[in-house]
Amino acid sequence: MDTLEALRTMLGASQVLTGADAQPYATDWRERYSGQALAVVRPADTAEVAAVVRLCAEQGIPLIPQGGNTSLCGGATPDDSGQTVILSLQRLNRVRSIDTDNDTLVVEAGCILQSVQKAALDAGRLFPLSLAAEGSCTIGGNLATNAGGTQVLRYGNMRELALGLEVVTAQGDIWHGLRGLRKDNTGYDLRDLFIGSEGTLGVITAATLKLFPLPVARCTALLAVESIAAAIDMLGRARAGLGASLTGFELMAGDCLRDVVRCFPQQRFPFEGASAQLPWFTLLELSDSESEAHARERFEVVVGEALEAGVVQDAVIAESVAQSHALWHLRESIPLAEKEIGKSIKHDVSIPVSRMAEFVESTNAALQAAFPGIRHVIFGHLGDGNLHYNVAPGVGWAEGQLLGRQYDVYGLVHDRVHAVGGSISAEHGVGQLKRDALPRYKDPVEMALMHRIKAALDPQCIMNPGKVLRPE
Amino acid sequence: MDTLEALRTMLGASQVLTGADAQPYATDWRERYSGQALAVVRPADTAEVAAVVRLCAEQGIPLIPQGGNTSLCGGATPDDSGQTVILSLQRLNRVRSIDTDNDTLVVEAGCILQSVQKAALDAGRLFPLSLAAEGSCTIGGNLATNAGGTQVLRYGNMRELALGLEVVTAQGDIWHGLRGLRKDNTGYDLRDLFIGSEGTLGVITAATLKLFPLPVARCTALLAVESIAAAIDMLGRARAGLGASLTGFELMAGDCLRDVVRCFPQQRFPFEGASAQLPWFTLLELSDSESEAHARERFEVVVGEALEAGVVQDAVIAESVAQSHALWHLRESIPLAEKEIGKSIKHDVSIPVSRMAEFVESTNAALQAAFPGIRHVIFGHLGDGNLHYNVAPGVGWAEGQLLGRQYDVYGLVHDRVHAVGGSISAEHGVGQLKRDALPRYKDPVEMALMHRIKAALDPQCIMNPGKVLRPE
């Protein structure tokens, strides 16, 4: 029996898509990557996933696990060979259980992140992972890429939010590892090995995730500062004065915010005069377990001291939930305003906080020297050392003038990231996009260890081939 | 040149110990495990560690990495063959750097935990790992066993406190992975693979660790409750009402506390009458970023509501730092009182919080049926689901009557732990002690994956052989 026939017998003909039906799965959501698949299969449960993997392993057919297809690095898109099977986890979308005493829930890989947040909320709990694609990305993809987002400062990355996994190995065996334990020291940490491996070692089919109490109140403040060094000083003050209530600390270049209010005049920039012209702004979020009044009072104390010390030049503390939302909306509109000023080149990098100022200053200068007139679009999660360090075309540049030199820009920025001890992928993963850059920046011993792990767990190299590691 | 001669040439004769000089290293601190080593070597730095490993790899000589020699599971003790080399990390004891803007420090594996805490404190920061052996255990051992302790509820295990590692592989190569980044998604999570692997995959020589702001105030409360279910209700209330300020939540059987004040009459039990006779007590610790008054006020609100709801029967909130210490001292004296009533059998287990009551009730009953009159000594970190579920000889039992049936007791307790989805080692690791129990309780697919990883990273099986995994 040929492969397609065997897959149809296994899953039912309607769950094996080919031709035009398969094409939407073979192109990523931003249409940057496109390939050809032998078929897209949509198993109903873990047992069917295991059966598919066993069949493909027997026949030596490569598999590409796929969730919401929202990778920013081509992590779930096939190559052009037409020989790979896309394994869609979309139908594994059940919340299997919620345990409010243990503060855990068990969800399947195909659950949309937003529905997991909602299931937690319905049980009176918080599932804190939050990111732009939450309406369409899936938990399986979040785990495969160790997703980050805006609340990492307090709650950690996806890695810190997962207690247990269910995984189908590259041999088609099922590892039942859905433990809901906060302490468990019985051997090697396979959980964290599969998390962040982008589907190249096996297929995550379900996970036990941590839940948290819902904050009683949230409050937001926007501060104007004269330098990145001042923003870092403020970060230290906020961490000390607000403790773990500090759930967000964002940095934004003043130009970014001024672009937002220029492009979207219905949004209001809450500063005027000299304050509105300052080079940097920080957005702080406080999640309080007491009351809104207490949250505001804490901000007033900590920000007041910083104003008095001259660390912060001006400040707005939200007076209402609506005002908090308006401040966050300014921050969230930066990528939209960025689009308005021309197609930009994006870098998702992390830097030790202590070297952030040096990195931005020296990289800005190097870019201006190499590409005079280029514009800088700089914002990110300062509390995590995570910068979205993007560059946009200069005023009046012809279309394509910047994008044609995309790889030169990547190289320049990533070399500088590496020089200050940073990472070229903070929260988006490697996929296809950064695969070939990895050996340039990683310790060769680390690369060799990664290849050993890959060979040990997937000796046939059928799991998401061509992602993360170049085939040896 | 023979091995000892080569090691002496490499490290200097004074750093290669044999015979009686080596014996203290070949016996664990509690003198439960003892073996024979070919030699103990004491390299001065990472380069010397790598040279020792390369030599041993060439000659096929097994190596046992050792820090403070405080394993509770025989994790750093050699076998009787006299053919293994103990690799002491004691001389790698420098704090390499502290970065207060990035809130990280870089320390070598041989640093005593207490000196790392002190280095952080001297820089105005908190390094939160805290456990009984902190005066002699080392960071390398803490990493190798993913140590836990009393503040895991808020700050996580050692795994969550480490950002980067420097590791000498089983081939004697050095992986320079001392990254100080909170977000880094560039390939497989080797860091977490080495953490918790108990020296069986390589030698951790240094680590980049997270620092936190120092709390402004700490406050402690002792609550009397009628059942484990009520304690769990209280845990939920404390998590919701105190947020991340809740840094400790301990559970203690009433008998344990009554034994403490009986054995150590200078200690005062702060309850009288019916409250003093209740079956369970919980100890809560709150770390506040505002003030002592605020900490106490928060406790008064949350505990007051629980008293009113009948969840808690009686409560003491410490009025001073001295009183907080006195309450913690009661908790910390439980193991000493336990020793007074006879040598006990200890279990370091974790259980989903929601199944804790069922576990204790059914296991107590099963033990009484099998060993009538046996005494239960139950306490632990309820917030983490981590129970020190110990059993002591009955009143009037002959010496040895209990210990002679040690393995029957282990088997009974661990079978029940497994039945409720728990782990047979919460924070002490596997070592020699639990190695042969592992295959009974672990998913066979998980065991097979662990063996594949071991074979991939240490194909000669020279790294801490006989620990964690039985040689295949």
Side-chain angles (χ1 to χ4, degrees):
Chain A
M1 195 158 32
D2 86 343
T3 310
L4 286 177
E5 201 45 40
L7 288 168
R8 287 190 188 108
T9 306
M10 193 176 272
L11 306 176
S14 65
Q15 305 302 343
V16 180
L17 315 180
T18 56
D21 293 341
Q23 208 46 45
Y25 295 81
T27 303
D28 76 307
W29 69 327
R30 296 186 305 164
E31 303 188 351
R32 299 277 178 100
Y33 300 91
S34 197
Q36 294 292 327
L38 176 65
V40 175
V41 298
R42 296 166 35 90
D45 55 28
T46 305
E48 286 193 359
V49 173
V52 168
V53 175
R54 270 197 305 276
L55 177 78
C56 289
E58 275 163 27
Q59 305 199 354
I61 293 173
L63 277 159
I64 300 173
Q66 188 180 92
N69 197 14
T70 61
S71 170
L72 295 170
C73 306
T77 311
D79 62 16
D80 291 326
S81 68
Q83 298 303 311
T84 57
V85 168
I86 295 176
L87 175 63
S88 168
L89 280 302
Q90 282 176 331
R91 291 176 70 212
L92 280 80
N93 62 358
R94 290 181 311 141
V95 175
R96 289 195 193 161
S97 61
I98 298 192
D99 181 342
T100 49
D101 276 341
N102 198 42
D103 272 335
T104 49
L105 88 174
V106 179
V107 296
E108 293 181 344
C111 284
I112 304 280
L113 172 52
Q114 210 163 57
S115 42
V116 176
Q117 295 167 343
K118 186 171 179 308
L121 195 63
D122 290 346
R125 295 292 186 278
L126 174 73
F127 179 67
L129 190 75
S130 175
L131 45 88
E134 62 196 23
S136 48
C137 65
T138 63
I139 286 294
N142 299 148
L143 288 159
T145 59
N146 184 29
T150 53
Q151 301 210 69
V152 171
L153 180 63
R154 161 70 182 95
Y155 298 103
N157 293 291
M158 193 65 196
R159 186 181 299 295
E160 282 83 38
L161 300 175
L163 292 174
L165 295 184
E166 179 186 87
V167 171
V168 173
T169 69
Q171 292 72 45
D173 296 321
I174 301 171
W175 168 36
H176 300 280
L178 287 173
R179 294 186 278 264
L181 303 170
R182 277 154 182 89
K183 285 184 176 177
D184 175 27
N185 283 338
T186 51
Y188 304 153
D189 183 10
L190 301 174
R191 177 191 67 202
D192 285 309
L193 191 57
F194 285 105
I195 294 175
S197 68
E198 305 188 28
T200 63
L201 300 177
V203 188
I204 296 170
T205 51
T208 305
L209 306 176
K210 286 185 197 168
L211 297 175
F212 293 84
L214 285 167
V216 171
R218 282 199 174 118
C219 188
T220 306
L222 184 68
L223 316 183
V225 294
E226 278 177 337
S227 64
I228 293 183
I232 291 170
D233 187 333
M234 186 63 225
L235 174 64
R237 290 166 175 268
R239 279 173 58 100
L242 307 174
S245 305
L246 182 69
T247 44
F249 195 105
E250 304 280 308
L251 176 74
M252 299 158 289
D255 287 342
C256 291
L257 291 187
R258 289 183 285 268
D259 279 340
V260 166
V261 288
R262 193 170 45 74
C263 293
F264 310 109
Q266 71 279 22
Q267 291 202 45
R268 205 178 75 76
F269 193 34
F271 297 110
E272 291 177 348
S275 300
Q277 296 311 314
L278 284 174
W280 297 99
F281 293 82
T282 65
L283 186 74
L284 282 67
E285 187 179 76
L286 196 162
S287 297
D288 200 275
S289 52
E290 293 180 46
S291 66
E292 231 172 282
H294 180 258
R296 205 148 43 234
E297 181 204 310
R298 289 313 298 154
F299 259 150
E300 277 159 13
V301 170
V302 172
V303 173
E305 286 170 4
L307 279 164
E308 205 163 309
V311 169
V312 166
Q313 304 307 308
D314 205 346
V316 172
I317 299 170
E319 293 284 341
S320 65
V321 173
Q323 206 182 342
S324 280
H325 284 164
L327 294 177
W328 267 108
H329 194 45
L330 279 172
R331 155 69 179 85
E332 285 158 357
S333 301
I334 294 174
L336 299 172
E338 189 182 356
K339 216 178 258 178
E340 297 282 323
I341 62 173
K343 275 194 179 172
S344 63
I345 300 175
K346 300 177 196 303
H347 305 88
D348 163 47
V349 302
S350 63
I351 311 281
V353 172
S354 49
R355 305 195 70 179
M356 193 69 88
E358 168 195 354
F359 166 77
V360 170
E361 200 174 311
S362 70
T363 312
N364 283 0
L367 280 170
Q368 284 303 334
F371 313 96
I374 204 169
R375 278 187 289 179
H376 308 285
V377 179
I378 304 174
F379 60 101
H381 318 296
L382 184 67
D384 315 318
N386 181 188
L387 222 53
H388 297 298
Y389 182 91
N390 301 341
V391 296
V395 178
W397 285 22
E399 170 119 16
Q401 191 177 343
L402 177 65
L403 291 187
R405 300 192 63 183
Q406 180 167 341
Y407 285 91
D408 298 334
V409 173
Y410 282 151
L412 188 154
V413 173
H414 289 163
D415 280 358
R416 299 215 68 88
V417 166
H418 184 64
V420 296
S423 164
I424 65 163
S425 183
E427 54 180 13
H428 297 167
V430 177
Q432 306 177 31
L433 177 65
K434 296 180 182 173
R435 186 194 72 178
D436 291 341
L438 225 52
R440 180 173 168 87
Y441 301 115
K442 283 270 190 194
D443 184 323
V445 173
E446 184 170 3
M447 290 303 297
L449 288 167
M450 283 170 54
H451 280 288
R452 277 177 185 250
I453 300 284
K454 172 73 174 173
L457 299 195
D458 178 23
Q460 285 185 280
C461 203
I462 60 166
M463 296 306 310
N464 210 4
K467 315 296 160 47
V468 184
L469 294 177
R470 204 192 316 233
E472 286 200 303
Chain B
M1 193 160 32
D2 86 341
T3 310
L4 287 177
E5 202 46 40
L7 288 168
R8 287 189 189 108
T9 306
M10 193 175 275
L11 306 176
S14 64
Q15 304 303 342
V16 180
L17 315 180
T18 56
D21 292 341
Q23 208 46 46
Y25 296 80
T27 303
D28 76 306
W29 70 326
R30 296 186 306 165
E31 303 187 351
R32 298 276 177 101
Y33 301 90
S34 198
Q36 296 290 328
L38 176 67
V40 176
V41 297
R42 295 165 35 89
D45 55 28
T46 305
E48 285 194 0
V49 172
V52 168
V53 175
R54 271 197 304 276
L55 176 79
C56 288
E58 276 163 25
Q59 305 199 355
I61 294 173
L63 277 160
I64 300 173
Q66 189 179 90
N69 198 13
T70 61
S71 171
L72 296 169
C73 304
T77 312
D79 63 16
D80 291 326
S81 67
Q83 297 304 310
T84 57
V85 168
I86 295 176
L87 175 63
S88 169
L89 281 300
Q90 282 175 331
R91 291 176 69 212
L92 280 79
N93 61 358
R94 290 181 311 142
V95 175
R96 288 195 195 161
S97 62
I98 298 192
D99 180 343
T100 50
D101 276 340
N102 198 43
D103 273 334
T104 49
L105 87 176
V106 178
V107 295
E108 293 182 342
C111 284
I112 305 280
L113 172 54
Q114 210 161 59
S115 41
V116 176
Q117 295 166 343
K118 187 173 176 307
L121 195 63
D122 290 346
R125 294 293 186 278
L126 173 74
F127 179 67
L129 190 75
S130 175
L131 45 88
E134 61 196 25
S136 47
C137 66
T138 62
I139 286 293
N142 298 148
L143 288 160
T145 59
N146 184 26
T150 53
Q151 301 210 71
V152 172
L153 181 62
R154 162 69 181 95
Y155 299 102
N157 293 291
M158 193 64 195
R159 185 180 302 293
E160 281 84 38
L161 300 175
L163 291 174
L165 296 183
E166 179 185 86
V167 170
V168 172
T169 70
Q171 292 72 44
D173 296 320
I174 302 171
W175 168 38
H176 299 280
L178 286 173
R179 294 186 278 263
L181 303 171
R182 276 152 183 92
K183 286 184 175 175
D184 175 27
N185 284 338
T186 51
Y188 305 154
D189 183 11
L190 300 173
R191 176 191 68 201
D192 285 310
L193 191 58
F194 285 106
I195 295 175
S197 68
E198 304 188 27
T200 63
L201 300 177
V203 187
I204 296 170
T205 51
T208 305
L209 306 176
K210 286 186 199 169
L211 297 175
F212 294 83
L214 284 168
V216 171
R218 281 198 175 120
C219 187
T220 307
L222 184 68
L223 316 182
V225 293
E226 278 176 338
S227 64
I228 292 182
I232 291 170
D233 188 335
M234 186 63 224
L235 174 63
R237 289 165 175 269
R239 278 172 59 99
L242 306 174
S245 306
L246 181 70
T247 43
F249 196 105
E250 303 281 307
L251 176 74
M252 299 158 288
D255 286 344
C256 290
L257 291 187
R258 289 183 285 268
D259 279 340
V260 166
V261 288
R262 195 169 45 73
C263 293
F264 311 109
Q266 69 281 20
Q267 291 202 45
R268 205 179 73 77
F269 194 33
F271 296 110
E272 291 179 349
S275 299
Q277 296 310 313
L278 284 175
W280 297 99
F281 293 83
T282 65
L283 186 74
L284 282 67
E285 187 178 76
L286 195 163
S287 296
D288 200 274
S289 53
E290 294 179 45
S291 66
E292 230 172 281
H294 180 258
R296 205 149 42 235
E297 180 205 310
R298 287 314 298 155
F299 258 151
E300 276 158 16
V301 170
V302 172
V303 173
E305 286 170 3
L307 280 163
E308 205 163 306
V311 170
V312 166
Q313 303 307 308
D314 206 346
V316 172
I317 299 170
E319 294 284 341
S320 63
V321 174
Q323 206 182 342
S324 279
H325 284 166
L327 295 177
W328 267 108
H329 194 44
L330 279 172
R331 157 68 179 85
E332 285 159 356
S333 301
I334 294 173
L336 300 171
E338 189 182 355
K339 216 177 255 178
E340 297 281 324
I341 63 174
K343 275 194 178 170
S344 64
I345 300 175
K346 298 179 198 302
H347 305 88
D348 163 47
V349 301
S350 63
I351 311 281
V353 172
S354 49
R355 305 195 71 177
M356 194 67 91
E358 168 195 354
F359 166 77
V360 170
E361 199 173 310
S362 70
T363 312
N364 283 0
L367 279 170
Q368 284 303 332
F371 313 97
I374 205 169
R375 280 186 289 179
H376 309 284
V377 179
I378 304 174
F379 60 101
H381 318 296
L382 184 66
D384 315 318
N386 181 190
L387 223 52
H388 296 297
Y389 183 92
N390 301 340
V391 297
V395 178
W397 285 22
E399 170 119 13
Q401 191 177 341
L402 177 64
L403 291 188
R405 300 194 63 182
Q406 181 168 339
Y407 286 91
D408 298 335
V409 173
Y410 282 151
L412 188 154
V413 173
H414 289 162
D415 280 358
R416 299 214 69 87
V417 166
H418 183 64
V420 295
S423 164
I424 65 164
S425 183
E427 53 181 13
H428 297 167
V430 176
Q432 306 178 33
L433 177 65
K434 295 180 182 173
R435 185 195 72 177
D436 291 342
L438 226 50
R440 180 174 168 85
Y441 302 114
K442 282 272 191 195
D443 186 320
V445 173
E446 185 170 1
M447 290 302 298
L449 288 168
M450 284 170 53
H451 280 288
R452 277 177 185 249
I453 300 283
K454 172 73 174 172
L457 299 195
D458 177 24
Q460 285 185 281
C461 204
I462 60 165
M463 295 307 308
N464 211 3
K467 315 295 160 47
V468 185
L469 294 176
R470 203 192 316 234
E472 285 201 303

